[in-house]
Amino acid sequence: MASPMQLHRIQAPLRRSLARAAVLSSRTYATVPSPSESQQQQQQPEQAATAQATNPSDLTKARPTYFKDTTVSSFSNFLPSSSSSSSSPLSPSEAYEPRTATVGPEGRKRTITRLPDWLKTPIPSAGANPNFAKIKADLRGLGLHTVCEEARCPNIGECWGGDSKAAATATIMLMGDTCTRGCRFCSVKTSRAPPPLDPHEPENTAEALARWGLGYVVLTSVDRDDLADGGARHFAETIRRIKAKKPTMLVEALTGDFWGNLDMVKVVAESGLDVYAHNVETVEGLTPYVRDRRATFRQSLKVLEHAKVVKGKEGIITKTSIMLGLGETEEELWETLRELRKVDVDIVTFGQYMRPTKRHLKVERYVTPEEFDLWRQRALDLGFLYCASGPLVRSSYKAGEAFIENVLRKRAGEKAMAAESLGQAVAAEETSSKSL
């Protein structure tokens, strides 16, 4: 038999439930009483009279609209007529002049500059181009990054979407997508402590490139000042694995300056690459304002010069790139080209600087295609082996790579012919000595 204390514990929850139900049933709520019919008639006598006088036919009338019944001009009025001056072609000076537009609400209007027509390019679509979709899928599957995406290159659709896989070009960005420097023209993410290197990246990169079947590839990287060697050995290991999987593939390495450590430049230059690229980006006078303060113009020249010292003038091709439209002067560009020729740089490219976001440097000037052609000819006259110059040209633009590929293969053919002729001369000399 249960004790009184145990019965009390068993009955306690039941008592609390009954007490709660009693409280809820006795609670009252404030309500708004509805008016009676007599009150409604007193408050709205005019509405009631109007409702009685309304005819049933009036209920079918159209509801009022806020749209004004005005006549819209004919569509032909919005098209240029054959006799109008707007249909005649513009002069080059008018066509190349940047157009402006005023946007914003009243009191906060601002003037913006529209891009010239020669800087407009179609948006790439993975659905419309299978090569573009294939390269993007391979990159995501192997966890690789490209400067094409990170730097928002306008040529990504053209380079990735070639007519064939052999014509497609992708610039692989090694060592992650986070840079330790903060250049004022670049949209790549920055951090003082980026994630550690992926030890499988060299093998994954080599596997992806072998899978695509490309003949020429560009490898670049973020700056990794947090690493003792700046990532030079990671660079070199990737190049060696690519050459091991496909010896015929030509490799261009677009590296940083490694804090001016020339020993690290030597590590990359001796890894088996064919083109050593390092960008000076702009003229010397603008370098402190455009690039990170840890990068200097003279330091970049030493990197390009040392690559030639390590491999010899004929042993490797050196390449650099310059952005126009940042406020540089003509004389500054001339001086930059002369300095590059002093250290035997073979290739130079010119491209229009494009502001990636509002946080980056403003565009001082949009350079016309004619001026790009002019600087291309000037560079060739100074002795550069090749110059790619145009508004949408970037340091890894495929047109320059196609030319460099031909140059490298021509040099390889000349070396083979020289070796063959030397062998024939030795054989002839041996034959003549035996006959004597």
Side-chain angles (χ1 to χ4, degrees):
M1 183 175 179
S3 63
M5 183 61 68
Q6 293 175 338
L7 290 174
H8 179 75
R9 290 178 179 176
I10 294 172
Q11 295 173 356
L14 181 60
R15 292 196 193 93
R16 287 195 294 269
S17 299
L18 293 174
R20 189 180 298 110
V23 171
L24 293 175
S25 62
S26 61
R27 183 176 298 172
T28 59
Y29 297 91
T31 58
V32 178
S34 58
S36 61
E37 294 181 1
S38 59
Q39 291 175 336
Q40 291 180 358
Q41 291 177 359
Q42 292 176 0
Q43 293 175 358
Q44 301 175 346
E46 296 180 359
Q47 295 179 4
T50 304
Q52 292 176 1
T54 303
N55 296 325
S57 60
D58 296 338
L59 299 176
T60 60
K61 289 183 178 180
R63 297 179 60 185
T65 178
Y66 291 101
F67 294 102
K68 296 181 180 179
D69 187 13
T70 57
T71 304
V72 180
S73 300
S74 174
F75 180 70
S76 60
N77 293 342
F78 296 94
L79 300 177
S81 61
S82 57
S83 60
S84 64
S85 59
S86 60
S87 62
S88 59
L90 297 175
S91 63
S93 59
E94 293 176 335
Y96 294 153
E97 184 179 357
R99 294 169 296 176
T100 60
T102 304
V103 298
E106 291 294 338
R108 291 188 296 172
K109 289 187 178 295
R110 57 191 179 91
T111 302
I112 62 173
T113 302
R114 295 180 177 179
L115 288 178
D117 292 336
W118 65 82
L119 287 175
K120 295 180 180 179
T121 183
I123 299 174
S125 172
N129 195 301
N131 291 331
F132 181 90
K134 178 66 168 58
I135 290 179
K136 193 164 189 175
D138 286 344
L139 290 169
R140 298 294 83 79
L142 293 172
L144 301 178
H145 303 277
T146 66
V147 73
C148 315
E149 296 171 296
E150 299 298 333
R152 304 180 184 181
C153 180
N155 300 314
I156 186 171
E158 184 181 359
C159 292
W160 286 21
D163 296 334
S164 63
K165 289 172 65 176
T169 303
T171 303
I172 304 297
M173 189 162 67
L174 304 176
M175 295 184 275
D177 61 349
T178 306
C179 187
T180 54
R181 298 189 184 182
C183 296
R184 295 163 185 83
F185 66 90
C186 182
S187 63
V188 176
K189 294 184 293 186
T190 61
S191 174
R192 292 182 179 179
L197 299 182
D198 179 7
H200 304 291
E201 187 176 49
E203 180 63 26
N204 288 342
T205 303
E207 176 63 27
L209 296 176
R211 190 184 297 176
W212 294 336
L214 304 178
Y216 190 102
V217 64
V218 181
L219 300 177
T220 187
S221 73
V222 293
D223 282 296
R224 292 299 301 263
D225 298 316
D226 59 314
L227 304 176
D229 64 349
R233 294 180 177 84
H234 191 86
F235 235 123
E237 179 64 18
T238 303
I239 297 170
R240 283 191 287 266
R241 288 182 181 266
I242 292 172
K243 290 290 188 177
K245 284 184 177 290
K246 193 174 180 181
T248 59
M249 182 178 293
L250 301 175
V251 181
E252 174 185 330
L254 176 58
T255 73
D257 56 17
F258 304 116
W259 276 85
N261 188 342
L262 300 183
D263 291 335
M264 297 302 102
V265 175
K266 182 180 179 181
V267 168
V268 178
E270 293 181 337
S271 62
L273 82 167
D274 302 284
V275 178
Y276 195 112
H278 174 68
N279 293 340
V280 296
E281 308 294 2
T282 187
V283 298
E284 185 172 11
L286 293 178
T287 297
Y289 308 100
V290 175
R291 303 173 68 186
D292 188 278
R293 292 302 178 97
R294 286 165 285 188
T296 66
F297 183 81
R298 295 294 161 180
Q299 189 166 275
S300 294
L301 287 181
K302 290 180 181 178
V303 170
L304 292 166
E305 182 181 22
H306 196 67
K308 284 284 189 179
V309 172
V310 172
K311 298 293 292 183
K313 290 186 178 181
E314 298 295 326
I316 196 171
I317 287 180
T318 51
K319 177 182 174 184
T320 193
S321 181
I322 301 173
M323 295 179 294
L324 302 185
L326 287 165
E328 66 284 339
T329 64
E330 184 175 357
E331 182 54 38
E332 286 177 323
L333 281 175
W334 273 117
E335 184 61 26
T336 301
L337 293 178
R338 296 189 194 102
E339 292 293 335
L340 292 173
R341 286 304 301 142
K342 287 180 183 178
V343 295
D344 295 316
V345 174
D346 299 300
I347 310 293
V348 64
T349 66
F350 293 101
Q352 171 69 52
Y353 165 66
M354 302 288 287
R355 189 183 192 185
T357 69
K358 292 181 179 180
R359 296 174 297 169
H360 293 82
L361 288 172
K362 294 176 63 177
V363 178
E364 295 295 331
R365 184 170 69 97
Y366 289 110
V367 182
T368 64
E370 285 79 8
E371 191 170 344
F372 275 109
D373 292 340
L374 178 62
W375 280 111
R376 174 183 175 276
Q377 189 59 48
R378 288 174 174 176
L380 295 177
D381 293 341
L382 282 176
F384 285 93
L385 186 64
Y386 177 70
C387 175
S389 181
L392 293 177
V393 168
R394 295 298 179 264
S395 59
S396 300
Y397 188 61
K398 68 176 186 178
E401 295 159 10
F403 179 86
I404 296 171
E405 181 176 349
N406 294 331
V407 169
L408 290 172
R409 297 198 188 284
K410 181 180 178 181
R411 286 187 176 181
E414 290 175 351
K415 290 180 181 179
M417 291 176 61
E420 183 179 356
S421 61
L422 179 61
Q424 292 175 354
V426 171
E429 184 177 354
E430 291 177 352
T431 303
S432 62
S433 62
K434 288 179 180 180
S435 63
L436 294 174

